[in-house]
Amino acid sequence: MMCIKQIFSRTHRLKVGQVLGAAFTSSRCFHGEQQVSRESSALPIIHHSRYVCDLPPNHRFPMGKFPRVLHFLIKDQVITEEQVWVPEIASKELLSCVHTEEYLNDFFIGKINEQEQRRTGFPWSEGIVRRCRYETGGTVLAAEVALQRGLACSTAGGTHHAFPSYGSGYCLLNDLAVAAKYLMGVSSHKRKILIVDLDVHQGDGTAFIFKEEPCVFTFSVHCGKNFPLRKQQSDLDISLDDGMEDKEYLSTVETHLPLLLETFRPDLVLYDAGVDPHWEDELGRLRLTDQGLYQRDLYVMKTVVSRGVPVAAVIGGGYSRDNDKLALRHSILHRAATQVWRDCGM
């Protein structure tokens, strides 16, 4: 059921190919350690070598996928190294726009008990803190760059199960929420942000964080019988049955996305392009193919960008013991984004 938030009129629409976001001028300081030339005409890719950290042997989380996504994009000549933007580490001050001071203090110093570590799925380490902060910084930078360029993609992100005061389900900091809150706060007017979450698991943390925020609309399409067991209420939740395949899934997304864009009229879309709806995913329960994921990503980004709305995309969830196969699956997002960039003359 759709929960209608306060809808504000938008005074003007931006054209594809224009510099997007009036607040981001040529002198804007981005959350980046290293930036490509502002004159570059290629799709911005956000990546940091510290998106990874060490985990115990045979840990289920596929940490090794992050550098392999970039590896395959360059190897297959989808992108060049000159397109890569390197994010800064997210500061405690930045993270505090979403997370509680007590949680951040405990997380930073490792005051995390065994029960809390079981809930997140990760043993605490300084490395896990660092990688999560860089990952969040990457999503913030992707959103900043998207507002200027129209489209940007990170090679990580989508940690939508993290709540203000605790982590859950391999998510320790909610990068999407931090990016949305930050960008709402730094504009001359309060930006309206649509979060399109197509990870196979409901974005429960994000839904909870923004349940009373009229300027953020959370849209989640997920497998109903999958994690989390206790769902939160997004502004629009679409619960899917186990085993859904490409055609029906794409039809579901196509039914709802254009209407949301026309009624909510966002200034920015944050897109969680999780690949765990794939038929081979270890935690998925849906039956999408590689082609289905490509068509999904192409449709979402082209539909949004063609309306003059910028998109920042993150890779979301995906689970396999084969990191190379999984990384290639995640790279479908960047391949689709590259096609949108060309087709829309960006």
Side-chain angles (χ1 to χ4, degrees):
M1 182 176 180
M2 185 171 175
C3 171
I4 302 298
K5 286 187 172 180
Q6 184 180 0
I7 305 296
F8 298 91
S9 63
R10 192 169 184 188
T11 57
H12 69 280
R13 306 303 292 173
L14 297 168
K15 294 180 180 179
V16 176
Q18 288 182 329
V19 174
L20 297 171
F24 289 82
T25 66
S26 59
S27 62
R28 175 74 174 112
C29 181
F30 289 89
H31 283 78
E33 291 182 351
Q34 175 183 323
Q35 300 169 23
V36 297
S37 168
R38 296 293 173 86
E39 302 305 317
S40 172
S41 61
L43 171 72
I45 301 294
I46 316 301
H47 178 80
H48 203 290
S49 60
R50 290 188 169 180
Y51 279 172
V52 299
C53 71
D54 292 333
L55 289 176
N58 301 315
H59 193 280
R60 190 172 194 180
F61 185 80
M63 188 66 73
K65 68 183 181 180
F66 299 109
R68 302 302 286 171
V69 172
L70 185 70
H71 166 80
F72 284 117
L73 290 173
I74 293 173
K75 176 178 178 289
D76 295 345
Q77 300 183 339
V78 178
I79 68 166
T80 66
E81 292 182 2
E82 285 69 32
Q83 292 173 240
V84 179
W85 295 58
V86 181
E88 293 177 345
I89 195 166
S91 67
K92 186 179 289 188
E93 180 182 7
L94 175 62
L95 298 172
S96 66
C97 70
V98 167
H99 295 285
T100 66
E101 182 179 4
E102 180 181 9
Y103 174 62
L104 290 175
N105 288 339
D106 290 348
F107 177 54
F108 275 38
I109 67 173
K111 192 178 175 183
I112 306 295
N113 64 40
E114 189 174 330
Q115 181 181 356
E116 291 168 328
Q117 292 183 59
R118 283 199 300 270
R119 181 167 58 194
T120 66
F122 289 126
W124 184 89
S125 68
E126 291 182 357
I128 198 76
V129 175
R130 184 179 60 243
R131 81 149 299 273
C132 291
R133 292 175 63 191
Y134 274 114
E135 180 176 48
T136 302
T139 301
V140 172
L141 179 58
E144 289 180 311
V145 175
L147 283 166
Q148 188 196 60
R149 299 292 184 88
L151 179 61
C153 300
S154 182
T155 57
T159 48
H160 57 177
H161 298 310
F163 284 72
S165 60
Y166 62 91
S168 177
Y170 297 142
C171 300
L172 299 167
L173 300 170
N174 195 311
D175 64 312
L176 295 166
V178 170
K181 283 258 193 175
Y182 171 73
L183 289 171
M184 281 194 296
V186 296
S187 59
S188 56
H189 71 288
K190 196 173 184 181
R191 288 191 180 91
K192 296 172 64 182
I193 297 174
L194 171 63
I195 299 177
V196 176
D197 191 335
L198 301 189
D199 190 282
V200 80
H201 307 105
Q202 191 213 33
D204 54 338
T206 314
F208 176 85
I209 289 164
F210 293 117
K211 62 182 178 180
E212 296 179 358
E213 173 52 72
C215 288
V216 176
F217 195 102
T218 52
F219 171 42
S220 180
V221 180
H222 53 267
C223 181
K225 294 181 180 179
N226 210 322
F227 180 89
L229 181 62
R230 180 188 175 193
K231 307 290 193 291
Q232 298 292 323
Q233 184 175 342
S234 306
D235 295 303
L236 178 58
D237 283 305
I238 306 298
S239 179
L240 307 179
D241 294 332
D242 286 12
M244 182 176 284
E245 298 182 351
D246 290 348
K247 186 175 181 180
E248 190 176 359
Y249 182 97
L250 293 171
S251 177
T252 301
V253 175
E254 291 167 0
T255 297
H256 295 95
L257 182 59
L259 179 61
L260 290 181
L261 293 170
E262 290 305 313
T263 55
F264 184 64
R265 298 175 74 82
D267 298 296
L268 172 69
V269 168
L270 299 179
Y271 176 38
D272 185 337
V275 298
D276 38 13
H278 194 272
W279 69 274
E280 286 188 307
D281 193 87
E282 293 179 0
L283 303 179
R285 303 175 71 126
L286 299 184
R287 300 284 300 171
L288 270 65
T289 64
D290 287 356
Q291 184 63 23
L293 289 173
Y294 182 81
Q295 291 300 325
R296 177 198 70 173
D297 293 347
L298 194 70
Y299 173 79
V300 169
M301 290 183 285
K302 186 173 285 189
T303 298
V304 177
V305 166
S306 66
R307 286 164 167 79
V309 180
V311 181
V314 298
I315 69 171
Y319 302 92
S320 171
R321 301 290 180 180
D322 187 333
N323 276 327
D324 280 356
K325 181 180 287 188
L326 181 57
L328 279 166
R329 196 174 299 154
H330 277 300
S331 76
I332 289 171
L333 167 67
H334 310 83
R335 297 166 197 267
T338 299
Q339 187 64 49
V340 171
W341 188 270
R342 292 171 181 155
D343 290 349
C344 293
M346 302 180 74

